[in-house]
Amino acid sequence: MTLSLDLTANPTRDALRARAAMPAKGSLIGLSRAELGEALISAGVPERQAKMRVQQLWHWLYVRGVSDFSEMLNISKDLRATLEQHFTIARPEIVEEQISNDGTRKWLFRFPPRGAGRPVEIETVYIPEEGRGTLCISSQVGCTLTCSFCHTGTQKLVRNLTAEEILTQLMTARDRLGDFPERGTPDGAIVPAEGRKVTNIVMMGMGEPLYNFEEVKKALLIASDGDGLSLSKRRITLSTSGVVPEIFRTGDEIGVMLAISLHATNDDLRDLLVPINKKYPLKDLIAACRAYPGLSNAKRITFEYVMLKDVNDSIEDAKALIKLLRGIPAKINLIPFNPWPGTNYQCSDWETIEKFADYINNAGYASPIRTPRGRDILAACGQLKSESERMKKVDRLALEAMMIGGHGEA
Ligand code: SAH
Ligand code: SF4
């Protein structure tokens, strides 16, 4: 059974809604330390105090996870009032929280308008597993790319998310999962790294993160900051469809783990599945992978490969895959295709996927088959699409029928 929490009756949500309706104040979330210092000085904080105030705020925001200035107990009432007057540290509105029967959670978040724009909605997914919990974060509302097997690709790009909006997906998930220390105590216990629910993040939600490089970079540098949210860069993976010019910078300037949505081993097929291949063909993509900063056996690139029935799932394809990746420290992640209403693709049969995986394992590669998670709440890879294009009931019924058909279930 899927659990869907109605958050509309919650008074806190009402307060958040009211706040969302007010003219936008600049958020302090997502600013670098230098930008935070400048913002404070612009609000009248004396320059000589700025560095100390930045440290205090950083701690409250990213270690303690407060979302209200009144909780910043070592900051004077006057200064808290000044901060409140000029800035916000509010979380997005949670429009919906769904909990799948396998424990996967999906949130629909609404962000207030930017400039003359409209409010936007995006989805974030939490996947609990034995010994770890992964948060799948969105980088854009919609996507400009049109990978033919991806549901998000059918939704036009509305806009890039800001660093604040990328980070608050993580922070709000941590609020909901109890990953921040208890509120209201001066030194409430800090949740130790090993006790946390969100241990890993993947930029694999809606959008192409490398088409929003600067904001994604700012957000991930804050998420991995050792005096704040403290996620190890080895536990952060950025997935790209192959925006070749930004791949080196991802390793050099952000330093996180890289995943490539490969899905095909020749240009003809990849042009059809992942059309950005026409701009950056396989030769260039593979060269960029070989040059990825820090690449080693301890820091491998993950190649994602969606299993599409009779399209890319033969043993010949597996052979070509091994040949293509020769010499690159790599993991291969086989993703059973997740269906969505209107798609012409089907997931490969389970037996075919296992044969494909065996071939790859025998060639010496780790090749986990990604178990589909949260399909009942449309939270699995490539199924995300936001409220602005939320499914019609008739589409949902069609999808349920497809899933009862058992495409690719383990
Ligand atoms: N835009 C980025 C990240 C988001 S997509 C990218 O393309 O890499 C995250 C992963 O889900 C990608 O590997 C994508 O190819 C895969 N995916 C998309 N649609 C899917 C579907 N219907 N079934 C299974 N995987 C899908
Ligand atoms: Fe965009 Fe990634 Fe979907 Fe392609 S797979 S349409 S790049 S979100």
Side-chain angles (χ1 to χ4, degrees):
M1 192 193 63
T2 304
L3 183 62
S4 184
L5 306 184
D6 178 10
L7 295 157
T8 46
N10 182 333
T12 326
R13 296 292 141 223
D14 290 345
L16 276 176
R17 280 222 169 94
R19 199 159 23 179
M22 288 177 358
K25 291 189 262 183
S27 177
L28 293 182
I29 297 172
L31 301 183
S32 66
R33 284 187 176 79
E35 288 169 336
L36 193 51
E38 280 163 28
L40 295 181
I41 293 167
S42 75
V45 171
E47 253 184 273
R48 61 180 193 296
Q49 280 186 18
K51 199 167 167 204
M52 180 260 291
R53 295 297 182 202
V54 165
Q55 254 176 13
Q56 287 176 325
L57 274 165
W58 201 266
H59 181 83
W60 283 114
L61 291 176
Y62 300 124
V63 177
R64 304 296 303 276
V66 307
S67 52
D68 202 313
F69 291 112
S70 68
E71 293 178 66
M72 299 184 170
L73 299 175
N74 61 355
I75 293 182
S76 72
K77 266 199 171 146
D78 284 354
L79 180 53
R80 281 190 251 154
T82 306
L83 293 174
E84 178 73 54
Q85 195 190 336
H86 289 87
F87 307 112
T88 174
I89 51 171
R91 304 286 197 254
E93 181 186 340
I94 305 173
V95 181
E96 195 175 19
E97 175 174 273
Q98 285 178 280
I99 306 175
S100 157
N101 50 19
D102 68 10
T104 301
R105 288 188 192 217
K106 182 170 82 168
W107 293 278
L108 181 68
F109 292 134
R110 181 177 298 151
F111 294 105
R114 302 275 154 200
R118 299 196 352 218
V120 292
E121 294 178 345
I122 52 101
E123 292 182 329
T124 306
V125 177
Y126 173 69
I127 306 147
E129 286 170 295
E130 195 62 39
R132 64 195 248 162
T134 303
L135 192 71
C136 181
I137 293 182
S138 294
S139 57
Q140 299 184 306
V141 188
C143 189
T144 46
L145 300 173
T146 50
C147 302
S148 52
F149 54 88
C150 174
H151 200 202
T152 310
T154 64
Q155 181 182 352
K156 275 208 228 104
L157 179 76
V158 179
R159 69 168 169 82
N160 281 339
L161 294 176
T162 63
E164 174 214 346
E165 292 163 337
I166 295 166
L167 269 176
T168 50
Q169 294 174 60
L170 169 61
M171 294 164 79
T172 314
R174 290 189 58 173
D175 290 341
R176 299 294 302 167
L177 294 164
D179 254 2
F180 278 125
E182 261 181 48
R183 297 284 157 84
T185 50
D187 53 6
I190 305 298
V191 180
E194 62 273 17
R196 289 190 191 166
K197 298 274 192 337
V198 179
T199 60
N200 292 55
I201 59 181
V202 290
M203 297 303 298
M204 290 188 190
M206 295 164 61
E208 168 49 60
L210 295 190
Y211 274 170
N212 187 14
F213 187 88
E214 296 303 332
E215 296 299 304
V216 166
K217 171 179 161 182
K218 272 172 94 176
L220 294 184
L221 291 181
I222 293 175
S224 57
D225 186 289
D227 292 325
L229 292 160
S230 277
L231 271 158
S232 155
K233 289 184 179 181
R234 300 210 158 221
R235 290 176 172 271
I236 302 178
T237 302
L238 183 149
S239 173
T240 178
S241 57
V243 185
V244 167
E246 310 293 358
I247 288 181
F248 185 86
R249 292 183 68 201
T250 302
D252 194 40
E253 298 176 29
I254 317 181
V256 291
M257 306 298 282
L258 181 70
I260 300 284
S261 293
L262 189 65
H263 310 312
T265 56
N266 62 71
D267 284 325
D268 286 346
L269 180 59
R270 198 161 189 273
D271 283 353
L272 291 175
L273 297 179
V274 188
I276 196 180
N277 193 69
K278 291 184 206 153
K279 196 161 179 196
Y280 306 116
L282 277 169
K283 189 165 119 322
D284 299 351
L285 178 60
I286 296 298
C289 289
R290 289 189 199 278
Y292 193 67
L295 183 63
S296 65
N297 278 337
K299 202 176 169 198
R300 294 165 192 252
I301 295 178
T302 301
F303 289 90
E304 296 159 279
Y305 195 93
V306 63
M307 297 300 294
L308 300 169
K309 187 176 179 138
D310 300 331
V311 174
N312 64 355
D313 61 353
S314 71
I315 289 298
E316 290 313 308
D317 291 310
K319 274 187 198 159
L321 182 57
I322 299 304
K323 197 167 160 213
L324 185 69
L325 301 186
R326 191 159 291 148
I328 304 179
K331 280 185 267 188
I332 298 168
N333 205 335
L334 300 180
I335 317 176
F337 170 65
N338 290 306
W340 40 271
T343 180
N344 292 324
Y345 294 106
Q346 287 182 359
C347 183
S348 309
D349 302 326
W350 198 251
E351 213 191 331
T352 311
I353 300 181
E354 282 190 330
K355 274 196 196 140
F356 199 99
D358 283 348
Y359 186 90
I360 287 168
N361 275 323
N362 290 338
Y365 289 89
S367 61
I369 304 170
R370 198 186 290 168
T371 321
R373 299 290 304 264
R375 276 184 173 184
D376 54 338
I377 55 168
L378 275 194
C381 289
Q383 290 185 316
L384 303 186
K385 222 177 161 194
S386 55
E387 166 69 3
S388 40
E389 294 226 0
R390 227 190 294 182
M391 268 195 201
K392 287 187 269 164
K393 191 170 173 205
V394 56
D395 285 345
R396 263 187 196 280
L397 293 175
L399 182 84
E400 274 166 28
M402 286 166 93
M403 295 203 299
I404 291 162
H407 292 301
E409 288 297 355

